[in-house]
Amino acid sequence: MIIVKNDNEIECMREAGKILAYVHEEMASIIRVGISTYEISEYGFKIIKKKGCTASFYKLYDFPEPFCISLNDVVVHGIPDRHTFLKDGDIISIDGGVCFKGYQSDAARTHIVGNVSNEIKDLVDRTKKSFYEGIKYARDGNHLHDISNAIANYIEPFGYGIVTELVGHGIGKKVHEDPEIPNFKQNTRGPKLLRGMTLAIEPMINLGVSDVNFSEEDGWTVRTNDGKVSAHYENTILITDNEPEILTI
């Protein structure tokens, strides 16, 4: 069941999103060659606690850290590590959430570390652009899969792999609510979008093949099958009477 939020719930989600946007900006400001993924995650965690909030991902489904920090060929769910340090030429995806008064926000960003090829820069830029192409259709009266198809229609001509085993989702009191939001083409229209729905839309795009594998060692890390890099961009949005409101910017 897709939950439509009332005005009070939306205000809580706006605040959760505003705080998360700030946390992402602060975390981005310390990204540099030589810093550990653990240090980046802990920095964001401290800010969340100072704001009187909780980190949505910490202990969610037993995930051990407050943020997912994913490097290069890790698509999502990378576990921050004290001994993993950023190198020139890396790309780093930071995915996390903030809970404010029982309501969640969720957003992800992919950042470039130092010097990378134009091919990788384009992947990161186009992954972000695909999100904005998708939310052009996130309007009251449209259908969910209008978003999915718009993302796919933008990405497919570049020859990238669109991850199909992981999707976006509804969000509210829980980080993951109905509906699932694919980033690849659908043959159905999907549920009708209504004012007050809140969605986490998150294209995950690979430079190479779409296939991924799930780590048996830690139970979390998701990597591209061919070892090529992956980019991730996500925001929590609100369906309104007009254009969607992005809550995490």
Side-chain angles (χ1 to χ4, degrees):
M1 180 180 71
I2 304 175
I3 301 170
V4 174
K5 279 68 176 184
N6 62 38
D7 289 345
N8 289 334
E9 291 173 314
I10 290 168
E11 281 306 311
C12 288
M13 293 191 69
R14 280 196 181 104
E15 187 61 24
K18 178 181 177 182
I19 294 168
L20 180 57
Y22 174 74
V23 172
H24 266 294
E25 289 173 2
E26 289 297 301
M27 293 173 78
S29 74
I30 66 167
I31 291 173
R32 65 182 187 277
V33 172
I35 195 170
S36 74
T37 57
Y38 179 83
E39 187 177 348
I40 295 169
S41 178
E42 281 299 293
Y43 182 67
F45 194 23
K46 287 176 183 177
I47 297 171
I48 291 173
K49 289 188 287 187
K50 283 181 180 178
K51 294 288 187 180
C53 298
T54 56
S56 304
F57 287 18
Y58 188 53
K59 303 302 182 182
L60 179 67
Y61 314 124
D62 293 325
F63 188 74
E65 298 293 338
F67 287 90
C68 299
I69 308 285
S70 304
L71 298 183
N72 302 323
D73 65 326
V74 178
V75 181
V76 289
H77 304 163
I79 300 174
D81 180 62
R82 295 177 186 271
H83 306 292
T84 300
F85 302 96
L86 300 189
K87 303 183 301 296
D88 183 68
D90 282 341
I91 63 171
I92 174 175
S93 296
I94 301 174
D95 187 8
V98 164
C99 182
F100 175 80
K101 293 185 178 180
Y103 287 87
Q104 310 287 343
S105 59
D106 188 3
R109 307 283 187 264
T110 298
H111 304 279
I112 290 167
V113 184
N115 300 295
V116 303
S117 67
N118 288 334
E119 184 180 42
I120 292 176
K121 287 179 183 177
D122 286 344
L123 173 71
V124 173
D125 290 342
R126 289 165 178 168
T127 299
K128 180 177 180 179
K129 180 69 181 299
S130 73
F131 165 85
Y132 286 97
E133 289 296 314
I135 67 167
K136 289 178 181 179
Y137 297 86
R139 290 173 172 266
D140 182 88
N142 283 353
H143 287 76
L144 185 71
H145 293 164
D146 295 336
I147 299 172
S148 304
N149 292 337
I151 292 170
N153 285 336
Y154 174 75
I155 287 295
E156 285 181 350
F158 300 116
Y160 299 142
I162 302 173
V163 176
T164 59
E165 295 181 64
L166 300 156
V167 296
H169 51 91
I171 185 170
K173 285 186 176 180
K174 297 180 179 179
V175 175
H176 298 112
E177 296 183 350
D178 289 336
E180 292 190 344
I181 309 169
N183 299 303
F184 47 95
K185 284 185 179 177
Q186 301 295 297
N187 294 322
T188 62
R189 298 197 71 190
K192 189 175 182 179
L193 299 175
L194 301 174
R195 179 188 180 277
M197 288 181 177
T198 46
L199 309 173
I201 298 172
E202 51 178 323
M204 290 158 275
I205 310 298
N206 300 341
L207 186 61
V209 300
S210 61
D211 301 314
V212 299
N213 61 81
F214 295 74
S215 171
E216 295 181 2
E217 182 178 350
D218 62 35
W220 283 105
T221 306
V222 181
R223 296 181 182 274
T224 60
N225 266 8
D226 58 9
K228 293 186 178 181
V229 299
S230 182
H232 184 197
Y233 187 81
E234 175 186 21
N235 282 302
T236 299
I237 70 163
L238 168 69
I239 303 299
T240 73
D241 290 326
N242 297 297
E243 293 184 0
E245 180 181 345
I246 303 175
L247 302 181
T248 46
I249 287 182

